[in-house]
Each structure stands twice: as C-alpha cells, then as structure tokens.
Amino acid sequence: MDIEQKQEEIIDHFVKQASSLEGSALGSLVVEATSHPSLFAFSEILAVPNVLQLEGTETSVNLDVLRLFSQGTWSDYKRDASRLPQLVPDQVLKLKQLTVLTLAETNKVLPYDQLMQELDVINVRELEDFLINECMYAGIVRGKLDQLRKCFEVQFAAGRDPRPGQLGSMIHTLSNWLDTSNNLLISIQEKMKWADTMTELAKEHKKEVEDRVEEVKKSSSHKADIDFRGHEEIYSEPGGVMDYEEDRSRPKRIMCTYQANRMRVSNVAILQDHQGDSVLKRLRGSHHPHLGVPQLSPQGLRAIALPTLAQGRP
C-alpha cells in the first residue's frame, strides 16, 4: 500500500480524536501524532477547530509543534528550540525524515555534505544508514546512493503539507505542465495523421503494383496462346504431318517397293573382298515413327543395296 493511502486512515483517526478533546488534553495527541511512524501530513489535524483554539493560550506551544511538523525542518527546530518543548526520539526521527522530503522538493540530487549538515549527521556511513533504513524502507523516498559522487539521487519523494505562498508556485508548475501536455498531444495527433496518410499511400502503391503485375501476366498469357496457335497451324495435318491418334487407328503395312525402302536406308556400306564376293559391312536404317514400318532385315537391305550399286547409284 502506498504511503498516501496509509495516511488516510491515520489522519481520520487523529482528526476524530482532536475533535473530541480540548485545551491541554490535546498535548498528548500532538505528541502521539507527530511520533507516528506512518504519518507525514498534519494539515487536516491543524484545521480542526479545537486545535486552532489553542492559539494565544498557555498550551499554544502544542499548536507550534504541530505547525513545525507540518511545514518545518530540523534546522527550524534547532533555531526555535528555546521556546519549543524538547522532542522525544521518535519526534526527532520524524522531523529529520520530513527534512529530507523538504530538500527533495526542489533538488533531485542531494549532496552528502548538505544532508549531513541539515540532519546533524557526523559521517557518511551514518547518513547512508539513515537514508536506507529510515527513508527508503519507510517508503517516503526512492533513489540511488552514489558513493563516487557523494550524493543521493532522488527518484520519488512523498509530498508534504503546502507552505504559505507555495500554492501559487504549484499552480504555475501545473500550468506549465498542462501547456506542455497540450503541445505534446497536438504533436502526437499530427504524427498520427501523417502515419495514416503514409499508410494510405502505401496501400495505393501496393494496389498499383499488383494491378501492373496482373496486366503483365495477362499479356504474357495472351502472347503465349498466340504462339501456341501459330505452332498448331504450322504442324497441323494439312501441312503434311499426320496426327498421331489418327495414325494409331490405321492398319500397319510394310512398303516393299524399292522407293519406300530407299527412304529408310540412311547409310549402307559394302566392302568388296578379294574374291569378288560382296559382303555387307555395316547397315544402319531408320523408319518413320508415324508410318510404323519395321526395321528391314540384313537380307532385305542386301536385296536393295546390291542392285543399286550395280546400277551405279549412291
């Protein structure tokens, strides 16, 4: 639970008690309130009518002590110690804690020398123990102890009761913060509009590219279709090439004429031996794939080739 939430219940408790007490009976209440380890705000108790009635009375010193803890520091107590009652140890600890909060209001980097002077601490070890055990563990401040630079870097500090004249400064600070926030909001909105515009441009560009790709695909497909049809016209049956399916349905026949067999002999080599007998050295033939005429036997080739050579034909 945060320090502010803890204080709400404690403040309500002391406000109710202060409303039911009068005069010197409030002295013990002031000591108890200013010694409480979790109470660091006292303006609500100071606003109780019974407490304000202590002004100008013999017990007005209790009102002064309450005001000291509400807005003062340890240095203020030392300066006015002669007219104030002696504080108990718990009150001394509480006032020194409040002193650290006051210093953290205006400076986020607190030198060790300044802290030791304001808190009456004689060495660095004692100061660091106080900051860690009595301030950080209590939840009233958060920060980092820098031993190299000999300073305390404040990251968070609980708020104290506002002092007279401090309200105007707070209003000025909040007004500056509001102006900065408004300017930042305008800048963010402009960035959002720019991002939306760039997104729309990117979508349009993507669509243009996709449309262009589709056009190129259609153009390429159309060109390929035209080329394919041109090849069909060139190699169609009226040009002299027989359809394969049609050829399969026709009966196979062997052409035995001299002219048909001559078309299928690509290379015939005949060697004449020394006795004048003709010997077939090498025969190589081919046949048309669509006509289905089988390869001629060596005897058939001999019957074709020998008369051809005898007539002096190649």
Side-chain angles (χ1 to χ4, degrees):
M1 184 180 296
D2 295 335
I3 186 67
E4 289 81 2
Q5 295 178 349
K6 289 181 180 180
Q7 290 189 106
E8 291 181 2
E9 298 178 358
I10 300 171
I11 290 173
D12 290 340
H13 169 73
F14 283 110
V15 166
K16 291 178 181 179
Q17 283 193 340
S19 299
S20 61
L21 299 176
E22 294 181 357
S24 59
L26 290 171
S28 60
L29 177 66
V30 170
V31 173
E32 182 182 358
T34 54
S35 301
H36 196 285
S38 299
L39 183 61
F40 298 90
F42 305 92
S43 59
E44 289 85 351
I45 301 175
L46 280 170
V48 175
N50 291 354
V51 175
L52 293 176
Q53 290 177 0
L54 295 177
E55 185 73 40
T57 64
E58 296 179 353
T59 56
S60 61
V61 65
N62 294 321
L63 181 60
D64 295 336
V65 171
L66 198 57
R67 286 172 176 170
L68 173 67
F69 278 82
S70 176
Q71 301 169 354
T73 63
W74 176 249
S75 297
D76 295 333
Y77 172 75
K78 290 190 298 181
R79 185 176 59 250
D80 298 333
S82 58
R83 66 178 189 84
L84 294 173
Q86 185 176 2
L87 302 179
V88 299
D90 289 339
Q91 286 178 310
V92 172
L93 174 62
K94 174 60 63 64
L95 192 55
K96 289 185 176 181
Q97 290 174 322
L98 294 170
T99 301
V100 174
L101 295 182
T102 299
L103 295 174
E105 288 178 357
T106 55
N107 298 303
K108 297 305 178 183
V109 178
L110 303 177
Y112 280 180
D113 293 338
Q114 180 184 7
L115 289 171
M116 287 189 291
Q117 180 180 357
E118 293 290 335
L119 301 175
D120 278 343
V121 177
I122 58 176
N123 57 60
V124 173
R125 176 62 181 275
E126 184 180 352
L127 174 63
E128 291 181 343
D129 289 345
F130 174 78
L131 293 174
I132 294 173
N133 298 327
E134 307 300 343
C135 297
M136 293 187 187
Y137 286 169
I140 60 175
V141 294
R142 289 195 299 268
K144 182 176 68 174
L145 300 175
D146 192 336
Q147 295 180 338
L148 183 61
R149 297 168 55 196
K150 295 184 178 181
C151 65
F152 176 52
E153 297 180 2
V154 181
Q155 298 173 350
F156 161 80
R160 294 193 63 183
D161 295 329
R163 296 181 294 277
Q166 194 177 17
L167 186 60
S169 176
M170 293 175 62
I171 293 175
H172 178 71
T173 301
L174 292 174
S175 298
N176 291 338
W177 176 83
L178 180 61
D179 294 338
T180 302
S181 300
N182 289 333
N183 294 333
L184 180 60
L185 180 60
I186 293 173
S187 177
I188 292 174
Q189 291 175 345
E190 291 176 353
K191 294 294 184 182
M192 291 175 62
K193 291 180 180 179
W194 175 84
D196 292 340
T197 302
M198 296 303 296
T199 301
E200 292 299 326
L201 292 176
K203 289 181 179 179
E204 293 178 1
H205 177 69
K206 181 180 179 181
K207 187 176 183 302
E208 292 177 359
V209 172
E210 291 176 349
D211 293 343
R212 180 58 181 165
V213 170
E214 289 298 325
E215 291 178 2
V216 172
K217 287 182 178 179
K218 291 179 180 179
S219 177
S220 300
S221 176
H222 182 65
K223 185 176 183 301
D225 185 53
I226 293 175
D227 293 343
F228 179 73
R229 290 180 181 178
H231 285 295
E232 281 187 340
E233 293 176 359
I234 293 173
Y235 294 106
S236 62
E237 188 174 359
V241 179
M242 183 178 295
D243 183 70
Y244 178 69
E245 294 297 331
E246 181 182 356
D247 176 58
R248 291 182 62 187
S249 64
R250 296 183 180 181
K252 301 298 183 292
R253 55 193 176 88
I254 301 175
M255 297 178 62
C256 298
T257 63
Y258 168 77
Q259 291 81 0
N261 284 317
R262 185 183 178 188
M263 293 174 60
R264 287 153 182 80
V265 178
S266 64
N267 187 9
V268 177
I270 300 176
L271 298 178
Q272 184 76 25
D273 63 2
H274 66 282
Q275 295 178 354
D277 295 331
S278 297
V279 179
L280 184 63
K281 178 66 175 180
R282 183 179 57 182
L283 299 173
R284 184 173 62 205
S286 63
H287 62 278
H288 195 282
H290 297 295
L291 295 179
V293 179
Q295 181 82 23
L296 293 179
S297 64
Q299 293 80 6
L301 293 174
R302 185 185 298 275
I304 297 171
L306 291 178
T308 304
L309 292 174
Q311 297 175 9
R313 297 180 182 176

